[in-house]
Amino acid sequence: MDFLFVAVIVGGFVLIVAPALAIAAFVRSGDMRHDIARLARKIADLETRLDRLGEAGASPGEERPKAAPAIPERVTSPPAEIRADGPPVPPVPKPAAAPPAAPARRKTWEEDLATRWMVWLGGICAALAAVFLVRYSVEMGWMDPTVRCVLGAVIGLTLIGGGERLRRSPLERAAALIEPSRIPPAMVGGGVSALFISVYAAYGLYDLLPPVPAFALLGAVWVAAMGLALLHGPFVAALGILGGFLVPILVQTGHPSAWGLFPYLIAVNAAALGVLRYKGWTWLAWGTLAGAAIWPVLWMTETQAELGAVAVGLYLAVTAVLFLYVPSGWRPHRTPLVPPDLFANMPLPAILAWVACGAMLALWIMLALADGFGTGVLLTGILLAAVVAGAGRRDETYDALAIAAAVVGVLALIGRPLPAWPGEVDIQAVLPDGLRPYAWMASAYAVLFGIGGLALLRGAARPGLWAGISAAAPVAALAVAYARIEGFEVNLKWTAMGLILAALQLAAASWVAQQRAQRGYEAALAAYAVGVVAAVSLG
């Protein structure tokens, strides 16, 4: 039976895969012969033009090189230049203008089907062959599971090796100068898929691998796929990104852990964004962002284990850092966001960072609600706010993200549930014991954005924006806390808090007024003046 199985595999390869590869190679070789002939004609034409230019530029005493006779062209020469110390110098004729280049011929759909889609179809068929090899061997009872998985892995490695060897061949390199080759990426993509399938079959179908080694092997395949994507193009990158985000779904340990999952996802995001920086594939940017944002949602909605809010919160902060600095590097963009144009003048890395940071802030709100606003998740929220505020202070492209962070803080104050407390409140106590954590949260928010905005104002590209955050955040925190705790009932203690806040805003306005001659400080002074009026009115 083993001999029969081997015969079927070898026969299938000879009858199906080998002819398909031969047809693809024949089509590709025809394209390369056509391209090489076209290059030879262009080189001959360039040599003829160079000979003409050499004849035109040679001096009368020099021996002109012999060249093929050319059709004489009528050239209007300027009058000879007359020098006082010698005979007139004959004018140099102007070289003939190069004929306009012929427009590039568009490929017909038949040529496109034969040269592109058939190659990709061959790569997909090679990957599916590994799937059906495992499936058919299971149904027929051929070989043991270990041999089946090893054979699938061997096929995958063979396809990867063949694709890489074909890419390095001299003829393929010469053809790649004209048009990127598609056969090597198709072979490598099929090999990567076969490796993913073989490792998962060893874990999920046959229980040959424990979860941790299977996770490690799938991660190694993903790392290899991202490295090969730098050599073979976006098709392999797409398989690598898809496989990287699917690995945690394919491998279920039975004991899900946020501290095991999200560091792995950080590595996936970092590698994908690194490839994006060197290749500039737009679809890879948005695909990576989609995977990075979907996983926290899946974790918060589907997991039955401990939430691990601190791990998820740290993941959100680190992911924001990756999207801010990996695609574009540390170099600032210096393109501030203004309402009429919005993202019109921003490069792709800046737009990607903006959308990513906004998504991470929104996911943090979901996380805080799911966790009940625990101390750990609040600390990760402060870290995330510091990340986006620091990025905005360094580069005015992202300074408006600090406004988004402040708005998220207000939403957190509004959304945090309040514990029930007795209706009769001790008049000696400022707050009941059950409300003190909420009061501390509101105070921390006011201090973070109030003092932080004032500290970041000096030297900023737009001081008015930071002054507006510094003035508005404490007033908003006081208003939300007063509404939720007192229900807008008259209370002189809250009035005193409003007047104290107004005095602090007045002190900040006085300091800014001393430097109002600097650019942008007029808007900052106006922001603090409005803050004083708002705090007094609230009081």
Side-chain angles (χ1 to χ4, degrees), residues 35-419:
D35 295 333
I36 291 173
R38 184 159 55 89
L39 279 176
R41 290 194 298 270
K42 286 186 177 180
I43 292 173
D45 182 60
L46 288 175
E47 289 178 348
T48 303
R49 293 181 185 178
L50 287 174
D51 291 339
R52 291 179 183 176
L53 290 176
E55 290 180 2
S59 60
E62 295 179 351
E63 183 180 356
R64 297 179 180 178
K66 296 181 179 180
I71 299 175
E73 298 184 12
R74 183 174 181 181
V75 180
T76 302
S77 303
E81 180 183 356
I82 301 177
R83 296 184 180 179
D85 55 351
V89 179
V92 178
K94 296 181 180 180
R105 184 178 66 89
R106 294 187 60 183
K107 289 185 176 181
T108 63
W109 68 270
E110 296 92 344
E111 292 175 325
D112 194 64
L113 176 65
T115 58
R116 175 180 298 179
W117 298 111
M118 288 299 292
V119 177
W120 294 130
L121 183 60
I124 295 172
C125 290
L128 291 177
V131 177
F132 290 118
L133 167 64
V134 177
R135 176 69 178 271
Y136 190 68
S137 63
V138 171
E139 293 178 351
M140 301 302 296
W142 291 342
M143 298 186 179
D144 59 6
T146 303
V147 177
R148 298 168 191 164
C149 297
V150 170
L151 186 58
V154 168
I155 293 176
L157 293 174
T158 302
L159 287 172
I160 292 175
E164 179 61 19
R165 183 170 183 179
L166 181 60
R167 183 188 69 85
R168 295 184 180 185
S169 63
L171 186 60
E172 191 71 21
R173 287 186 174 185
L177 297 176
I178 303 172
E179 184 179 358
S181 178
R182 299 182 183 90
I183 296 179
M187 295 178 65
V188 172
V192 169
S193 300
L195 289 179
F196 268 117
I197 293 165
S198 300
V199 176
Y200 176 66
Y203 163 74
L205 297 179
Y206 306 125
D207 294 328
L208 298 176
L209 291 174
V212 175
F215 190 90
L217 283 176
L218 288 173
V221 174
W222 166 77
V223 171
M226 296 309 298
L228 291 169
L230 296 174
L231 300 175
H232 291 273
F235 183 70
V236 181
L239 289 176
I241 291 298
L242 180 62
F245 283 117
L246 287 179
V247 163
I249 296 178
L250 297 176
V251 180
Q252 299 290 336
T253 62
H255 304 284
S257 171
W259 291 103
L261 171 64
F262 288 99
Y264 166 79
L265 293 176
I266 288 174
V268 172
N269 295 333
L273 293 175
V275 173
L276 167 66
R277 179 175 179 179
Y278 288 103
K279 291 298 184 179
W281 295 324
T282 304
W283 64 267
L284 182 62
W286 300 114
T288 304
L289 177 57
I294 287 173
W295 259 111
V297 177
L298 293 177
W299 180 263
M300 287 183 283
T301 55
E302 298 295 333
T303 183
Q304 302 298 323
E306 185 180 354
L307 180 61
V310 176
V312 182
L314 290 175
Y315 166 80
L316 298 178
V318 174
T319 302
V321 172
L322 292 177
F323 277 91
L324 280 167
Y325 300 115
V326 173
S328 59
W330 190 248
R331 177 182 54 83
H333 297 285
R334 305 298 185 195
T335 52
L337 182 70
V338 291
D341 297 331
L342 292 181
F343 297 106
N345 299 321
M346 283 192 185
L348 173 64
I351 298 175
L352 178 67
W354 247 98
V355 177
C357 289
M360 297 304 113
L361 289 169
L363 289 172
W364 184 85
I365 283 289
M366 293 180 58
L367 177 66
L369 291 172
D371 184 62
F373 293 88
T375 303
V377 76
L378 291 178
L379 292 177
T380 61
I382 293 175
L383 177 61
L384 180 58
V387 165
V388 296
R393 177 59 180 82
R394 180 180 173 273
D395 185 355
E396 59 265 32
T397 303
Y398 306 121
D399 56 4
L401 279 174
I403 300 176
V407 171
V408 167
V410 173
L411 294 177
L413 291 175
I414 295 174
R416 179 171 182 174
L418 293 181

